[in-house]
C-alpha cells in the first residue's frame, strides 16, 4: 500500500524530524514516489536525503539517494541531470570493494511499455509443443537494428545462445543486403532478453538482486512484462544459484555489481532464476530455457535432500515471507513487538531444523 506509506512518511517529515532521521525518511519517501510515478517529488526527496558526510555508512546511503534522484531524472527524460547524479554516485562508491562495478553497458536493443509500438506475441514452439510468450517489439527492434543501423554487430548478436542455430554467426548478404534468420533471432531473444523491472517489481526482488531473465515457456502474451532489453555482454555471464554478482537497471542500461569479494581469476556469475525456487523447479526451468542442468553447490546440496524436507522448508519460508509482509505493511506498536520477535525466533528454529548437518556443514 504505497500511497499510505507515502502519507505516513510525509506526516513524519511534517512533524519536524531532524538530522539523519529526516534524511532516512526523505530517502524512503523518494522510493515510494518512484513507485507511484511521482518523479519530480522523488527527485526532490532524494536530494533532501543527502548527508554530505564522509562516514562510510552515510556515504552508502547517499549512493541510494543519488540512484533514486538519477532514476527520477531518467523517467523525466532529464538525461543531463541523470548523468550528473550517476557520476556523483559512482564517485562515492568507487572504493566499495564488495559492491565493485563489474559491468556497465547500454542495451543493444530495448522496448518500453510507454512506447506506442511496444507489443508482445505468442508463438508455438514445435520442439517443445508449447505456446510461448515473447516480447515481439524487442524481436522486431533487434532485427531492424541489425539490418539497418548496426550490421557490424550481427556476429556479436548471432553468436549468443539460442536453441535454433540458423545461419550461425557468419555474415550472409544477398543483393548487397544483410540476411538474417528471423527464427534464429527469435530464439536468441527468448534465451537472452532481460526483463527491465518496474520500481514495484524491483522492490519485490531487490533483497536478492534478481530479476527473471527471460519469459518462461508457456507464458501468456498478455502477462509479459512491458520492458525488455538485449544486453550482449551481460548475456555471456554464466549462471549460479549462489552468484557473486547482482544486476540493476537504469533505463536501458545495466549495472552489474559484485555481491561479495571477487578474487582475480574468479568467474563472474549471475543468477538466471531465483534461488528461492525449489531445486526441482530451478532445474526444470534452466533445462527448458537454457538447455543445461545447474551443478552449483546449492543445487548439489538440495538434490541430496528428501523432497518432503524441502517442502517443509518452503512452507517455513512462505510463512516468514508473510510475517515480513505484515511487518512492512502494518504499523507495529510496542505491545506487538515482543510477540513478533518470538514468532520470528520460532520460525528461525524451524527453518534451521530443515538443514541436515551431514549435507550442509
Amino acid at each position: 500500500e504505497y500511497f499510505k506509506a507515502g502519507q505516513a512518511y510525509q506526516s513524519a517529515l511534517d512533524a519536524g524530524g531532524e538530522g539523519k532521521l529526516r534524511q532516512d525518511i526523505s530517502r524512503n519517501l523518494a522510493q515510494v514516489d518512484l513507485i507511484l510515478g511521482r518523479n519530480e517529488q522523488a527527485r526532490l526527496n532524494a536530494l533532501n536525503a543527502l548527508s554530505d558526510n564522509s562516514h562510510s555508512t552515510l556515504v552508502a546511503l547517499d549512493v541510494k539517494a543519488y540512484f533514486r534522484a538519477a532514476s527520477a531524472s531518467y523517467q523525466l527524460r532529464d538525461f543531463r541531470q541523470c548523468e550528473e547524479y550517476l557520476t556523483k554516485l559512482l564517485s562515492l562508491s568507487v572504493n566499495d570493494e564488495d559492491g565493485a562495478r563489474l559491468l556497465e553497458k547500454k542495451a543493444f536493443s530495448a522496448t518500453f511499455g510507454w512506447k506506442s509500438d511496444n507489443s508482445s506475441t505468442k508463438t508455438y514452439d514445435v520442439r517443445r509443443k508449447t505456446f510461448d510468450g515473447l516480447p515481439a517489439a524487442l524481436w522486431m527492434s533487434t532485427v531492424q537494428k541489425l539490418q539497418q543501423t548496426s550490421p557490424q554487430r550481427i556476429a556479436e548478436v548471432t553468436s549468443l545462445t539460442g536453441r535454433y542455430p540458423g545461419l550461425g554467426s557468419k555474415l550472409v548478404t544477398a543483393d548487397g543486403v544483410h540476411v538474417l534468420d528471423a527464427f534464429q533471432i527469435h530464439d536468441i531473444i527468448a534465451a537472452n532478453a532481460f526483463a527491465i523491472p518496474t520500481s514495484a517489481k524491483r522492490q519485490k526482488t531487490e533483497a536478492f538482486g534478481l530479476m527473471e531473465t527471460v519469459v518462461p515457456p508457456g507464458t501468456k502474451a498478455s502477462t509479459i512484462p512491458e520492458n525488455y532489453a538485449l544486453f550482449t555482454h551481460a548475456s555471456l555471464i554464466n549462471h549460479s544459484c549462489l552468484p557473486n554478482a547482482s544486476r540493476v537497471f537504469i533505463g536501458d542500461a545495466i549495472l552489474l555489481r559484485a555481491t561479495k569479494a571477487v578474487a582475480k581469476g574468479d568467474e563472474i556469475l549471475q543468477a538466471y532464476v531465483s534461488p528461492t525456487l525449489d531445486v526441482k523447479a530451478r532445474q526444470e526451468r534452466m533445462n527448458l530455457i537454457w538447455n543445461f542442468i545447474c551443478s552449483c553447490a546449492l543445487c548439489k546440496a538440495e538434490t541430496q535432500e528428501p523432497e518432503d524436507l524441502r517442502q517443509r522448508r518452503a512452507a517455513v519460508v512462505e510463512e516468514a515471507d508473510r510475517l515480513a509482509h505484515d511487518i512492512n505493511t502494518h504499523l507495529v506498536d510496542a505491545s506487538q513487538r515482543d510477540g513478533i520477535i518470538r514468532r520470528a525466533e520460532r520460525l528461525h528454529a524451524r527453518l534451521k531444523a530443515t538443514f541436515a548437518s551431514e549435507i550442509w556443514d
Side-chain angles (χ1 to χ4, degrees):
E1 299 182 14
Y2 297 112
F3 184 76
K4 288 184 179 179
Q7 287 182 317
Y9 283 132
Q10 189 60 56
S11 296
L13 288 177
D14 295 342
E18 297 296 336
K20 184 177 181 301
L21 174 61
R22 189 173 188 84
Q23 291 161 358
D24 289 342
I25 295 170
S26 296
R27 186 172 51 255
N28 292 342
L29 181 54
Q31 180 64 17
V32 172
D33 288 331
L34 283 172
I35 293 170
L36 296 176
R38 302 187 304 213
N39 295 305
E40 287 280 10
Q41 197 63 32
R43 181 162 62 182
L44 178 62
N45 283 316
L47 295 176
N48 287 338
L50 294 171
S51 68
D52 294 326
N53 192 298
S54 60
H55 190 280
S56 59
T57 301
L58 295 178
V59 167
L61 295 176
D62 283 348
V63 167
K64 283 188 176 182
Y66 275 125
F67 181 82
R68 289 168 189 175
S71 297
S73 298
Y74 189 94
Q75 295 301 325
L76 292 167
R77 326 304 291 166
D78 187 352
F79 300 119
R80 289 186 182 277
Q81 198 67 67
C82 177
E83 181 182 29
E84 179 182 330
Y85 295 143
L86 289 176
T87 300
K88 291 180 178 179
L89 179 158
L90 294 174
S91 69
L92 289 175
S93 59
V94 69
N95 294 320
D96 179 8
E97 293 184 3
D98 283 349
R101 300 188 305 278
L102 304 173
L103 179 72
E104 301 166 30
K105 288 290 182 181
K106 182 177 170 61
F108 173 78
S109 55
T111 54
F112 295 89
W114 49 265
K115 291 187 175 181
S116 60
D117 61 350
N118 189 54
S119 62
S120 301
T121 189
K122 190 161 63 172
T123 58
Y124 182 74
D125 192 324
V126 296
R127 299 160 297 185
R128 295 190 292 246
K129 295 182 173 58
T130 58
F131 281 101
D132 304 334
L134 189 86
L138 181 63
W139 183 11
M140 181 173 65
S141 171
T142 302
V143 171
Q144 290 177 341
K145 188 170 183 179
L146 287 173
Q147 284 189 322
Q148 299 172 11
T149 62
S150 302
Q152 73 278 10
R153 299 184 67 181
I154 288 177
E156 176 186 339
V157 172
T158 55
S159 63
L160 295 175
T161 298
R163 282 180 174 262
Y164 172 57
L167 298 173
S169 58
K170 62 183 178 181
L171 295 177
V172 179
T173 59
D175 298 327
V177 177
H178 292 285
V179 177
L180 293 173
D181 187 327
F183 292 104
Q184 179 186 3
I185 303 300
H186 170 283
D187 272 22
I188 288 172
I189 294 295
N192 295 279
F194 286 80
I196 300 179
T198 61
S199 295
K201 187 173 181 181
R202 181 181 292 116
Q203 280 289 302
K204 182 179 178 182
T205 57
E206 69 178 357
F208 300 101
L210 296 173
M211 293 301 159
E212 201 62 64
T213 310
V214 299
V215 181
T219 301
K220 294 180 179 179
S222 60
T223 63
I224 298 176
E226 294 180 327
N227 306 333
Y228 265 88
L230 180 65
F231 297 94
T232 56
H233 287 78
S235 295
L236 299 176
I237 298 172
N238 283 329
H239 162 85
S240 173
C241 299
L242 296 171
N244 55 15
S246 65
R247 54 189 178 266
V248 294
F249 301 90
I250 306 173
D252 62 350
I254 189 171
L255 173 62
L256 199 73
R257 297 185 72 97
T259 55
K260 60 185 73 173
V262 181
K264 183 178 180 180
D266 286 353
E267 182 179 8
I268 304 302
L269 298 166
Q270 63 180 331
Y272 292 179
V273 298
S274 172
T276 60
L277 288 174
D278 181 73
V279 62
K280 185 177 180 180
R282 295 200 308 270
Q283 298 286 16
E284 287 177 352
R285 179 167 294 185
M286 286 183 280
N287 186 42
L288 189 61
I289 301 175
W290 297 285
N291 199 30
F292 75 89
I293 300 295
C294 181
S295 58
C296 71
L298 181 63
C299 286
K300 287 180 179 178
E302 289 185 340
T303 52
Q304 296 179 55
E305 297 180 308
E307 187 170 350
D308 64 328
L309 187 65
R310 298 201 311 271
Q311 290 176 347
R312 279 172 46 204
R313 183 184 305 142
V316 177
V317 170
E318 185 176 345
E319 191 174 342
D321 286 342
R322 287 198 299 269
L323 175 61
H325 178 269
D326 291 344
I327 294 172
N328 290 330
T329 55
H330 300 91
L331 292 176
V332 177
D333 58 38
S335 64
Q336 298 173 299
R337 184 177 57 192
D338 290 344
I340 289 174
I341 291 174
R342 287 194 296 271
R343 184 179 169 190
E345 288 173 341
R346 289 195 296 270
L347 285 171
H348 178 263
R350 287 170 54 196
L351 184 63
K352 189 175 180 180
T354 66
F355 290 92
S357 59
E358 63 272 15
I359 296 175
W360 293 97
D361 282 353

